[in-house]
Amino acid sequence: MSATIRKEPIVPVVLRSGERAAIAQKIRRALPVILSAIDRNSVYFGSRFPDAACEDGRYPIIDNQEWTTSFWTGQLWLAWEWTRNDAYRTLAEQHVRSFGERIARRDHTNHHDLGFLYSLSCIAANKLTGNREAAYIAQQAAEVLMERYHEKCGIIQAWGELDNPEQQGRMIIDCNMNLPLLYQASASTGDPRFAEAAKNHIEQARRYIVREDGSTFHTYYMDVHTGEPRFGNTHQGFSDDSCWSRGQAWGVYGFLLNYLYTGDERLLELSQTLANYFINRLPEDLICYWDLALTDPHSERDSSASAILACALLELVKQLPATHPDRESYEALALRMIARMLDDYLNTVHKAGEGLLQHSVYYFKGNVGVDECCAWGDYFLMEALTRATSCWNSYW
Ligand code: GLY
């Protein structure tokens, strides 16, 4: 357990004169490029979905079964917000029905990523259009997610059957992003069970997943019989004691989202602690390597982790008082990350089935989606652009 967690200071960053306007112009120029890519992909995927990551530069087409399919739906909702072109809304609403069927059939729902899936599809639909059926589907998903909650140790198990000895009692940092679905279910049903489980889970993540130096384990095992902590390790990171970049990004954003639902100031502070650790390990171009322990400039980048971080930093900017010493730096860094992504990582010669944000890593050691586009990288790039140019009403 982390007794006291150290928050590293960051070097202050200030935008140069004219830099903000130059980035805004860069974003304005990127929007039509992205929308054309979304149009091509809408035809290419039809009523089906992109796989989690590209293979040889193109997404395999899949049914609505992966943990990532809603990132495509989320892109459609954002495209609709940007343009109010109803073609995007019509396709996103078709997805909502698909997500309804998926939860009713319990089709590939035996994992904790129901928050990712149902926030960006059904919660978004409800927030944007008042779709009540979508809200009901999201409640059903929250109910299914609750089946993974271990009462004794207060965590939601990430993967596998609840009695699988390899996975039993394993929580992972990514889950922080799945918890908003539970808070929303309590808000819409009046049943406190969902929010209580989410609060217990985030408290255990705060205690055990975060290390004393402000880095994070990817995964941590709890004893489901005694409730005691066991040990942390990694699944997608470089090593058990390294810090997987995307996990850290899920942590920065996820602790912050949980702060928004609970008002627990410790989570706001923790989000900054994780952010500072991340920022201090960024290469010069601000796009991280796939693990924060890596320093070799030939290491693969995970641009998706930097896209997630940019979104989280822009949300931190919204939450922190104007006098906060790191607030200006967080905004400057997020805007520069966006600029770098648009300059060097955006797929500007997009062909049908390709992604938007190049050079991500899904699972390095499994050799899956290495130096490819991935569904969440594309989504978070669009969310970052939306956040940078508007006062966005979040889907999370
Ligand atoms: N949540 C799984 C991943 O980020 O790869």
Side-chain angles (χ1 to χ4, degrees):
M1 183 206 307
S2 305
T4 38
I5 300 168
R6 206 171 57 249
K7 180 176 173 191
E8 295 180 350
I10 56 169
V11 177
V13 180
V14 180
L15 292 177
R16 292 180 298 276
S17 153
E19 195 177 353
R20 182 184 294 276
I23 294 171
Q25 189 179 40
K26 216 182 272 296
I27 294 176
R28 274 197 300 279
R29 288 193 177 138
L31 299 186
V33 175
I34 289 173
L35 287 168
S36 300
I38 301 277
D39 292 345
R40 270 187 293 276
N41 282 354
S42 297
V43 175
Y44 186 79
F45 297 122
S47 59
R48 298 177 75 206
F49 292 83
D51 205 344
C54 286
E55 287 175 16
D56 298 324
R58 187 161 292 182
Y59 286 108
I61 302 177
I62 60 167
D63 290 326
N64 189 359
Q65 294 183 328
E66 260 288 0
W67 70 273
T68 50
T69 46
S70 61
F71 292 113
W72 172 227
T73 316
Q75 288 171 63
L76 295 170
W77 282 128
L78 289 174
W80 184 63
E81 288 207 69
W82 291 1
T83 61
R84 296 288 154 178
N85 174 345
D86 276 333
Y88 302 123
R89 175 175 171 172
T90 302
L91 186 51
E93 285 176 339
Q94 192 178 317
H95 286 193
V96 166
R97 289 190 287 280
S98 165
F99 279 99
E101 286 161 20
R102 180 170 174 176
I103 204 68
R105 286 203 308 265
R106 303 285 195 101
D107 187 0
H108 294 76
T109 55
N110 198 16
H111 56 71
H112 71 149
D113 285 321
L114 298 173
F116 281 112
L117 289 173
Y118 285 85
S119 296
L120 296 182
S121 57
C122 297
I123 296 283
N126 180 255
K127 285 186 178 177
L128 291 170
T129 69
N131 184 332
R132 288 165 66 94
E133 194 193 340
Y136 175 67
I137 295 168
Q139 273 166 33
Q140 288 179 304
E143 216 37 276
V144 175
L145 183 54
M146 284 296 285
E147 292 170 11
R148 306 190 66 76
Y149 180 65
H150 287 285
E151 192 79 46
K152 185 77 185 175
C153 57
I155 63 111
I156 291 163
Q157 182 177 317
W159 302 315
E161 297 298 326
L162 296 186
D163 59 358
N164 172 344
E166 300 249 318
Q167 300 297 346
Q168 192 176 56
R170 191 180 198 183
M171 63 171 155
I172 78 172
I173 183 86
D174 322 28
C175 190
N176 292 11
M177 301 293 291
N178 287 319
L179 302 177
L181 183 72
L182 297 181
Y183 297 114
Q184 307 232 23
S186 276
S188 57
T189 61
D191 180 345
R193 255 176 337 117
F194 305 96
E196 272 161 21
K199 278 189 209 156
N200 290 340
H201 181 104
I202 204 67
E203 175 60 13
Q204 298 297 59
R206 188 188 72 77
R207 283 189 188 154
Y208 300 116
I209 272 196
V210 183
R211 304 189 186 106
E212 285 181 19
D213 63 358
S215 68
T216 48
F217 287 112
H218 179 194
T219 95
Y220 198 97
Y221 285 86
M222 303 295 292
D223 188 315
V224 299
H225 305 294
T226 65
E228 291 299 312
R230 293 180 62 210
F231 62 94
N233 71 0
T234 196
H235 177 60
Q236 278 153 276
F238 179 76
S239 65
D240 290 344
D241 59 359
S242 74
C243 182
W244 178 48
S245 304
R246 196 161 61 254
Q248 189 82 359
W250 293 139
V252 179
Y253 203 170
F255 280 117
L256 182 56
L257 292 178
N258 279 269
Y259 159 71
L260 296 179
Y261 283 99
T262 61
D264 181 345
E265 300 271 346
R266 296 172 309 167
L267 303 178
L268 176 61
E269 183 64 22
L270 200 51
S271 171
Q272 296 165 65
T273 300
L274 269 56
N276 289 10
Y277 185 94
F278 201 134
I279 288 165
N280 287 339
R281 283 154 190 81
L282 285 170
E284 206 162 324
D285 78 350
L286 303 180
I287 307 299
C288 60
Y289 303 123
W290 64 274
D291 191 290
L292 296 180
L294 299 172
T295 52
D296 178 347
H298 298 107
S299 308
E300 278 75 8
R301 311 275 172 160
D302 181 5
S303 56
S304 75
S306 280
I308 297 161
L309 180 67
C311 293
L313 291 178
L314 291 174
E315 183 62 42
L316 273 174
V317 170
K318 270 168 83 177
Q319 299 308 322
L320 295 173
T323 52
H324 187 283
D326 290 336
R327 187 176 177 276
E328 188 177 354
S329 299
Y330 289 157
E331 187 182 27
L333 284 163
L335 294 177
R336 282 189 181 161
M337 276 178 211
I338 288 171
R340 185 56 66 139
M341 286 187 265
L342 295 181
D343 280 343
D344 297 335
Y345 291 77
L346 180 65
N347 180 3
T348 51
V349 288
H350 182 271
K351 293 196 272 308
E354 295 180 349
L356 303 173
L357 183 68
Q358 297 173 315
H359 311 304
S360 290
V361 169
Y362 181 9
Y363 178 21
F364 188 85
K365 290 187 177 172
N367 196 26
V368 183
V370 175
D371 196 19
E372 295 278 5
C373 294
C374 62
W376 57 91
D378 294 350
Y379 168 78
F380 283 104
L381 172 67
M382 287 182 70
E383 183 183 311
L385 300 183
T386 310
R387 283 180 171 279
T389 50
S390 66
C391 186
W392 185 57
N393 185 17
S394 160
Y395 306 158
W396 299 105

